Amino acid sequence: MKNVNKWSLDDVKAIVNRVSELDEKYAFVGDMEIAYNGRLSRTLARCLTEVTRRGGKVVNARPFKLEFGKTILNVESKEALEQTVLHEVAHAIANYEHQENCGHDRRFKEVCKKIGCYDDGTTAKTYSEEIKKASIDATYKYTLTCKECGKVYGYSRMNETLRSVKNGHHSCYCPKCKCDEFEFKQLR
């Protein structure tokens, strides 16, 4: 399948490197593996941390990889990409500094403030429409858009419903508003 991503891992690496240069204690993030994971379609990105336990207690937490999915690499807004990258870097820093998985707790939020990331989880909310569009564009080959309510339905394969709408027939209806008129679009 053809790569449709607007952003590359080099763009992600540049953002990560900016953070690693903010403070010498953040330098380790510049050495972390940054990878594309095509299986992340609904999850934008994730920070992978290796945890070592002794007697049920965490003795070491080492963030080692930042993975980015096709959706976030397909968004239009550079700020949406930056905020997502910073969010994952904040996870890495908080987990490393506190030697445990900090999740979205106050320690994570303190790191967010230090590196310029929204600390209240608003990245996905702020860019939800753009992220939703990027997800559809990155995930599906065809879409049907309801002409009444604008709801977009994504399809990976051509099927009878798509053929019928493409040929101008009204063979289906929108479950949301019951309209039977759609716009057909082939994305790639």
Side-chain angles (χ1 to χ4, degrees):
M1 182 166 74
K2 181 181 122 184
N3 183 0
V4 296
N5 298 331
K6 179 174 177 56
W7 305 102
S8 70
L9 291 179
D10 289 336
D11 297 316
V12 171
K13 185 75 172 163
I15 297 166
V16 171
N17 285 338
R18 277 197 340 247
V19 175
S20 72
E21 294 167 0
L22 285 176
D23 191 319
E24 65 182 44
K25 66 182 178 181
Y26 300 157
F28 77 93
V29 297
D31 296 329
M32 289 179 66
E33 180 182 353
I34 295 174
Y36 170 77
N37 184 339
R39 293 173 55 201
L40 297 179
S41 58
R42 286 183 170 58
T43 301
L44 301 178
R46 64 184 180 179
C47 171
L48 300 175
T49 302
E50 179 182 56
V51 176
T52 306
R53 299 176 193 276
R54 283 199 197 105
K57 184 178 178 186
V58 175
V59 293
N60 187 20
R62 185 184 68 84
F64 65 94
K65 187 179 197 180
L66 299 173
E67 290 185 334
F68 297 87
K70 52 189 161 188
T71 298
I72 195 59
L73 295 177
N74 201 39
V75 295
E76 290 294 322
S77 164
K78 185 168 186 177
E79 186 177 2
L81 174 71
E82 283 182 357
Q83 286 298 314
T84 302
V85 173
L86 291 175
H87 180 99
E88 297 310 321
V89 169
H91 279 300
I93 292 170
N95 293 351
Y96 180 81
E97 284 182 348
H98 299 285
Q99 287 299 294
E100 63 179 306
N101 184 352
C102 296
H104 293 109
D105 69 7
R106 66 170 175 73
R107 299 171 295 180
F108 164 79
K109 291 178 180 185
E110 287 170 5
V111 172
C112 285
K113 287 178 183 167
K114 288 179 189 174
I115 66 172
C117 175
Y118 301 149
D119 67 340
D120 58 0
T122 58
T123 303
K125 292 176 193 162
T126 303
Y127 300 101
S128 64
E129 286 305 312
E130 183 178 342
I131 289 169
K132 190 185 304 179
K133 181 189 178 316
S135 176
I136 288 169
D137 290 352
T139 307
Y140 300 108
K141 189 172 180 179
Y142 308 99
T143 61
L144 291 180
T145 305
C146 176
K147 290 185 177 180
E148 182 73 28
C149 69
K151 174 97 170 117
V152 179
Y153 301 91
Y155 298 84
S156 299
R157 294 188 176 115
M158 179 60 78
N159 63 31
E160 205 52 48
T161 301
L162 291 171
R163 276 190 208 91
S164 143
V165 172
K166 183 179 177 184
N167 294 328
H169 302 296
H170 303 286
S171 65
C172 61
Y173 69 93
C174 175
K176 184 175 178 185
C177 71
K178 309 300 184 220
C179 175
D180 66 351
E181 292 190 35
F182 293 89
E183 177 189 336
F184 170 85
K185 192 184 235 179
Q186 182 170 343
L187 301 173
R188 52 183 183 274

